[in-house]
Amino acid sequence: MSSVTGLSVKRIAAHQQHSVSLVALSETAQQSALPLMEAMARESIGCGLSVVAVCLEQLLSSDIIRLPQVHLIDCRIQPAQITNCSAFTADGQRQLDIGKLESDICAEVEACAASAKAGVLVVIDDLEPLLAASRVSTLAMIRKLRSAVRQQQRSRVLVRYPRDTIDQDTAAHAPLVVSMLTSLADAVIDVHHADALETWMPGWYSDGQPRPFVTLSDSDSQRGLLRLEHKRPAGKMGYELASFEIGEQQRPAFAAITIAATPKLPAGPQPAPLPLESTKMEQVPFSLELTEKQRQDRAQVELPYLAAQAGEIHYQLDAEDDWDEDDPDDDLEI
């Protein structure tokens, strides 16, 4: 694990890690990543960047959207606009044109990115409404936004999506959207419950007793665990496990999680020490010493392999044998 000062996720949040144009922030129904996303947006504003907030599900916190450095794109989508295939919904609203919406978002983000001299952070609060309407066009939009901010090293796109429900209609062994987002992103941050570590490695953070079921406490979105998967410029992959907590200033604080070299195992039953009397020679029921006669008898024993070494080999020539009395090495002139 990296040290606290060398955490990659900390450098990414502070825009000190370059070549990270797209960060995918994933969550589950049990642990929301929205507070961490807002805290990272506040951190970007504190670093002097402009923020483009693309709100598809809900508006960001009021202390963010009312800042002059924040450009709000309010595109909140009603569920009926996605599920209804007709031109108008039941209440008379015009059906959503996903293609035009994504095109407008890209155009507005590109304009903001071009005018932001210190860099820009594009925040998309939730990709699920767009992915529910069209996966192909949404992934194409993400790729286009990533290309728009790559001109500046400190600029990046930060998207949030639910990793546990985004691929419900695909095979369990082939999460298509998650795989494609992971391949597009330069860094993927998976947010987990603060107590989830014991479910990953039971015994490492406990007394070593078997714990097949770990009850998670109530969800606290202000603190939790995260797993970072970071693509290095040289092509290598970096992985990091850390904890996060959003403090009073609503800024994220990250800390490394160190894992011991060996797990804590329960101490097994220790054998009782032998009594001192049992170690004395006189307590043995048989004698371990040889008598003089036993030593003599042992010395007179003829070992079989020694007798075999003292023997001779006698060979009787057959009638077919051609015995040559001459030295076979005479021609060598030795």
Side-chain angles (χ1 to χ4, degrees), residues 83-251:
T83 58
N84 199 326
C85 297
S86 62
F88 293 89
T89 61
D91 55 359
Q93 295 182 1
R94 180 173 293 278
Q95 183 68 14
L96 179 67
D97 187 347
I98 292 294
K100 184 177 184 305
L101 173 64
E102 294 176 344
S103 177
D104 293 343
I105 292 175
C106 287
E108 203 161 346
V109 168
E110 289 174 352
C112 293
S115 60
K117 297 181 180 179
V120 63
L121 174 69
V122 180
V123 177
I124 301 180
D125 71 322
D126 192 2
L127 281 178
E128 189 173 21
L130 292 180
L131 290 170
S134 175
R135 295 179 177 179
V136 176
S137 62
T138 301
L139 293 172
M141 181 195 74
I142 296 300
R143 187 181 294 108
K144 188 174 182 181
L145 293 178
R146 179 176 180 267
S147 301
V149 301
R150 293 188 70 179
Q151 306 300 326
Q152 294 180 327
Q153 288 185 339
R154 302 182 69 195
S155 298
R156 75 172 50 117
V157 178
L158 179 62
V159 299
R160 167 176 158 254
Y161 68 94
R163 64 178 179 273
D164 54 349
T165 60
I166 205 170
D167 281 310
Q168 281 187 342
D169 58 341
T170 60
H173 61 277
L176 178 62
V177 178
V178 172
S179 299
M180 296 189 70
L181 280 173
T182 303
S183 63
L184 280 175
D186 301 293
V188 178
I189 302 176
D190 297 330
V191 178
H192 298 270
H193 193 280
D195 297 336
L197 199 60
E198 294 185 5
T199 66
W200 301 342
M201 295 171 288
W204 290 76
Y205 288 85
S206 65
D207 56 1
Q209 300 299 325
R211 302 178 66 182
F213 301 101
V214 177
T215 303
L216 300 181
S217 59
D218 294 337
S219 177
D220 184 2
S221 58
Q222 302 297 311
R223 54 185 292 271
L225 301 176
L226 59 86
R227 180 184 180 275
L228 171 67
E229 181 177 322
H230 179 210
K231 296 178 183 177
R232 309 289 185 182
K236 297 182 179 180
M237 296 295 296
Y239 300 93
E240 197 170 78
L241 186 63
S243 63
F244 74 90
E245 185 172 0
I246 302 173
E248 296 180 357
Q249 302 297 326
Q250 298 300 308
R251 300 286 189 87

